Amino acid sequence: MTKSVVLADPRGFCAGVDRAILTVQTILKAAEASGKRTREDGLPPVYVRRQIVHNKHVVEDLAAQGAVFVQELAEIPDAAAEAGIPIVFSAHGVSPAVKAEAAARGMHVVDATCPLVSKVHREVLRFVKEGYEIIYIGHKGHDEAVGVVEESPEHVHLIEHASDVDSLDFQPDTKLVLLTQTTLSVDETAGTITALKARFPWLEMPPNSDICYATSNRQAAVKLVAEQADCVVIVGSANSSNSVRLMEVAQEGLNARYASKTAVGAAGRAHRVDDASELDPAWFEGVESVGISSGASVPDELVSGVVAALQELGYQDVSTIETIKENMHFVLPAELRK
């Protein structure tokens, strides 16, 4: 039996994640170059509110370089603002209240919010100004969703699934528009949108889909991988929405492939791991081909580690399925370009 690995391409870092990580790295390098890598006052060279991206390895690496991560701005001492130490907002965006708190405390903010997330924030403000009620498909508690909803909580109505549509109640004379979290499953969202249009036929769609190009591209690629692989491994952290969605899309593809035949051994399953150390050899019993992809916040060296571990298990042949070449690039935040 020839054992093989099938890699999805594109996978891994998107432009927004790359920009956010580079933002923190740029500040750290500037601090080191100016001799502030270790400050006499005991303060770090940079604070970051929440995880800069949802990947524990990226966060641990930046922390090892001197970045200090906090959940809320209240954890940052006033001395940091007085010293002009940069406070970075993560790629997922923040609410107006967080921005106001930072401004009131005189903090030197560097906003690393993904431009595609910022677009959704601007859409909320524009549609509310035009008198719309906004139905927002997203995941409750996710940093991105929290920031978007808080732009206008009285006018933004969050739902997660098609089953939530019945909880909404709008009259036909209500102006309605739909917005979505950028990291959702394209297929899952389609089902919810169908249910919404059936309930509210006058619901308006945004000019362009809010689901980001990287999310769509990675899901399309992993669907093709699932057609050729007996099982699929997604590299990404548990709190990464797009990584979890990738695993779900891969599982749906495997379900379709194995609908007409009985899975052999561990075939027909999708798994998510942070890195190669979480692989379980039992997952690959009777499996000839393993598909691999990774979330938009995952460094490719973690994927390489998974491939190496699978090669040790006998999966020597490695091929790639490429669906599209990504050339998107976002410039650094304005605060760093001055």
Side-chain angles (χ1 to χ4, degrees):
M1 180 175 70
T2 302
K3 292 184 175 183
S4 62
V5 169
V6 183
L7 288 169
D9 187 11
R11 63 178 183 275
F13 280 0
C14 64
V17 163
D18 196 44
R19 173 182 184 264
I21 295 171
L22 186 58
T23 293
V24 179
Q25 290 174 333
T26 299
I27 295 170
L28 288 169
K29 289 177 181 177
E32 188 170 6
S34 62
K36 294 180 181 178
R37 174 64 178 81
T38 304
R39 296 175 57 95
E40 294 180 0
D41 56 14
L43 294 171
V46 60
Y47 285 94
V48 185
R49 182 185 180 274
R50 305 287 174 92
Q51 291 188 344
I52 186 67
V53 298
H54 284 163
N55 183 270
K56 73 172 189 176
H57 289 282
V58 169
V59 172
E60 289 170 357
D61 181 56
L62 293 173
Q65 296 177 52
V68 171
F69 291 83
V70 299
Q71 277 295 105
E72 302 298 345
L73 298 182
E75 300 170 46
I76 301 174
D78 290 335
E82 295 168 1
I85 293 176
I87 316 297
V88 178
F89 290 160
S90 78
H92 313 101
V94 300
S95 69
V98 172
K99 293 181 179 179
E101 180 184 353
R105 294 184 59 191
M107 291 178 164
H108 174 47
V109 170
V110 178
D111 191 352
T113 301
C114 172
L116 299 180
V117 175
S118 296
K119 175 181 79 77
V120 181
H121 282 253
R122 291 193 299 272
E123 286 174 336
V124 168
L125 297 176
R126 175 167 66 88
F127 284 119
V128 168
K129 186 177 180 180
E130 294 175 1
Y132 282 83
E133 293 297 311
I134 299 166
I135 299 175
Y136 178 76
I137 305 175
H139 293 290
K140 293 178 181 177
H142 188 280
D143 288 337
E144 179 183 336
V146 170
V148 170
V149 172
E150 288 301 313
E151 285 287 357
S152 186
E154 66 277 18
H155 296 293
V156 181
H157 309 272
L158 185 149
I159 63 171
E160 295 191 85
H161 309 290
S163 59
D164 298 326
V165 173
D166 287 342
S167 68
L168 301 172
D169 184 20
F170 298 107
Q171 298 303 310
D173 60 349
T174 303
K175 295 172 68 175
L176 280 182
V177 68
L178 176 72
L179 299 178
T180 68
Q181 188 174 317
T182 63
T183 55
L184 300 182
S185 160
V186 178
D187 292 338
E188 177 188 31
T189 307
T192 306
I193 292 173
T194 297
L196 282 168
K197 286 184 173 179
R199 179 87 189 275
F200 309 109
W202 68 94
L203 175 68
E204 296 180 35
M205 305 296 290
N208 298 295
S209 172
D210 292 324
I211 295 178
C212 87
Y213 77 95
T215 299
S216 301
N217 290 348
R218 279 149 190 71
Q219 290 176 13
V222 86
K223 283 181 183 180
L224 293 180
V225 165
E227 292 177 2
Q228 298 188 22
D230 298 319
C231 78
V232 176
V233 174
I234 303 298
V235 186
S237 292
N239 65 335
S240 166
S241 174
N242 74 87
S243 296
V244 174
R245 301 289 83 71
L246 267 182
M247 186 182 72
E248 293 172 349
V249 169
Q251 187 61 64
E252 290 168 2
L254 290 168
N255 290 346
R257 182 180 179 194
Y258 281 91
S260 59
K261 62 180 179 178
T262 303
V264 178
R269 298 293 300 168
H271 310 275
R272 183 203 55 78
V273 298
D274 267 296
D275 53 54
S277 69
E278 296 181 356
L279 292 172
D280 184 346
W283 294 346
F284 311 110
E285 293 177 5
V287 169
E288 293 185 29
S289 59
V290 181
I292 299 178
S293 188
S294 58
S297 52
V298 177
D300 209 44
E301 56 261 32
L302 296 181
V303 175
S304 297
V306 169
V307 172
L310 287 170
Q311 288 178 320
E312 291 180 4
L313 294 176
Y315 295 88
Q316 294 297 323
D317 294 341
V318 180
S319 62
T320 300
I321 293 179
E322 180 181 315
T323 57
I324 190 172
K325 271 291 185 192
E326 292 182 348
N327 55 13
M328 183 73 73
H329 173 73
F330 296 136
V331 298
L332 285 172
E335 297 85 358
L336 299 183
R337 301 199 307 270
K338 294 178 182 177

